[in-house]
Amino acid sequence: MLKYWILAARPKTLTAALIPVLTATALAYSEGHGRWQPALLCCLFAAIMQIAANFINDLFDYRKGTDREDRLGPERACAQGWITPRAMTRGIVITLILACAVGCGLLPFGGWPLVGIGAACVLFAFLYTTLLSYMGCGDILVWVFFGIVPVCGTYYVQAQMLTPSVWWLAAASGLVIDTLLVLNNYRDRKQDALSGKRTLIVALGEQFGSMFYLLQGVAGCVCVAMLAFYDHTLCAILPLLYLVPHSLTWREMVRINQGRTLNRILGKTSRNMLIFAVLTVLALL
């Protein structure tokens, strides 16, 4: 049973949750504000919230019947019948309680405004799967909750302030991480259209989706390069190396075009995101 919960947690997606926290911490340390205690708590909160969001996505996709044959994977625990909807509901409650408990540990570092931010994270974890992803808002949520919120929040609890460099890093993080969602929506565009899920790619077309994937990676590098204007010169050089695997992955994605074969591009996109994060951390430190 434990292995099914691990599959449902989708460990591979934790990279997306941790990248903004790690890069923001590197920025804080490079500017003399690094503190390991709030940084560790931010990592734990981000990871647990990502697991909770994956559980929520699993449960509500099952209830809506949006899983189709070419989208089913071992991580879809409810659809596979390995975890009952009632058990998954309990899992959601437990992980959210754990996330809130960890979040409370951040209050001494960031104050009561963090309660509102945490509540928004919980609320939109539900709204994304149940409503907003059907309205073409998924990419906006990624920019906010994998860019602005975690990067600015992680930096603030360590430095007690926000600087212009933080906002550029937040923009870069959100853009690069959203390539993973864009790839998912590119792969599922036909099924999404049938089920009434109007992602940007369903609304604007396949060609838009492929260019959207490519250009977000480019825009992410442009944003992180702006940190060179704030005494982080290497940020205009090292992260550019990310564009090599990113462009090669994009070419392979366009060549494959559709079907479950695109699942292998998910792993390569996650790898590319990690490369971007490592290069950014090295540039900052």
Side-chain angles (χ1 to χ4, degrees):
M1 177 61 73
L2 177 61
K3 74 173 183 179
Y4 299 139
W5 283 103
I6 293 174
L7 288 171
R10 301 179 210 171
K12 293 180 180 179
T13 65
L14 298 185
T15 304
L18 296 178
I19 283 173
V21 176
L22 296 176
T23 53
T25 298
L27 179 62
Y29 269 92
S30 70
E31 296 182 347
H33 305 300
R35 301 177 68 184
W36 71 268
Q37 300 98 325
L40 178 60
L41 289 171
C42 286
C43 282
L44 289 174
F45 178 80
I48 297 171
M49 272 303 306
Q50 181 64 45
I51 292 171
N54 290 337
F55 287 170
I56 292 167
N57 181 259
D58 191 310
L59 177 64
F60 282 91
D61 270 1
Y62 169 75
R63 288 181 172 175
K64 288 190 174 186
T66 55
D67 281 308
R68 302 193 189 282
E69 184 179 353
D70 64 339
R71 295 174 63 182
L72 281 176
E75 74 277 6
R76 297 287 183 173
C78 283
Q80 297 285 8
W82 293 331
I83 299 175
T84 66
R86 175 177 290 186
M88 185 62 77
T89 301
R90 289 197 296 267
I92 291 169
V93 172
I94 291 170
T95 50
L96 289 178
I97 290 174
L98 286 174
C100 291
V102 172
C104 287
L106 285 166
L107 293 180
F109 302 100
W112 289 105
L114 295 181
V115 174
I117 295 174
C121 290
V122 173
L123 176 63
F124 281 95
F126 282 97
L127 289 180
Y128 169 76
T129 297
T130 59
L131 179 64
L132 296 177
S133 64
Y134 286 79
M135 301 169 60
C137 298
D139 300 287
I140 296 174
L141 290 182
V142 170
W143 296 336
V144 172
F145 288 99
F146 287 87
I148 294 173
V149 170
V151 172
C152 293
T154 299
Y155 187 91
Y156 182 79
V157 296
Q158 296 180 68
Q160 307 300 309
M161 63 178 179
L162 294 175
T163 62
S165 57
V166 180
W167 296 100
W168 285 112
L169 182 61
S173 176
L175 288 165
V176 170
I177 291 174
D178 193 45
T179 59
L180 195 61
L181 176 65
V182 173
L183 176 57
N184 269 292
N185 291 342
Y186 183 83
R187 178 198 62 191
D188 298 336
R189 60 191 184 275
K190 292 185 178 180
Q191 289 75 25
D192 286 341
L194 290 172
S195 63
K197 188 175 183 178
R198 286 188 60 79
T199 64
L200 286 180
I201 295 175
V202 170
L204 300 177
E206 172 190 323
Q207 187 172 2
F208 165 82
S210 66
M211 294 307 299
F212 194 37
Y213 178 93
L214 176 66
L215 293 179
Q216 285 207 107
V218 175
C221 284
V222 171
C223 288
V224 80
M226 298 302 291
L227 271 69
F229 292 104
Y230 304 96
D231 298 323
H232 300 293
T233 307
L234 285 178
C235 285
I237 303 172
L238 280 182
L240 293 179
L241 297 174
Y242 153 81
L243 291 178
V244 175
H246 175 66
S247 59
L248 291 174
T249 302
W250 168 73
R251 290 180 63 182
E252 187 175 358
M253 180 189 84
V254 173
R255 179 179 58 81
I256 296 173
N257 188 261
Q258 60 183 326
R260 68 179 69 189
T261 309
L262 281 170
N263 287 336
R264 76 183 186 206
I265 306 299
L266 288 172
K268 292 185 178 183
T269 299
S270 295
R271 177 206 62 194
N272 296 345
M273 288 160 40
L274 185 59
I275 290 172
F276 176 83
V278 170
L279 290 171
T280 301
V281 169
L282 289 175
L284 289 169
L285 297 181

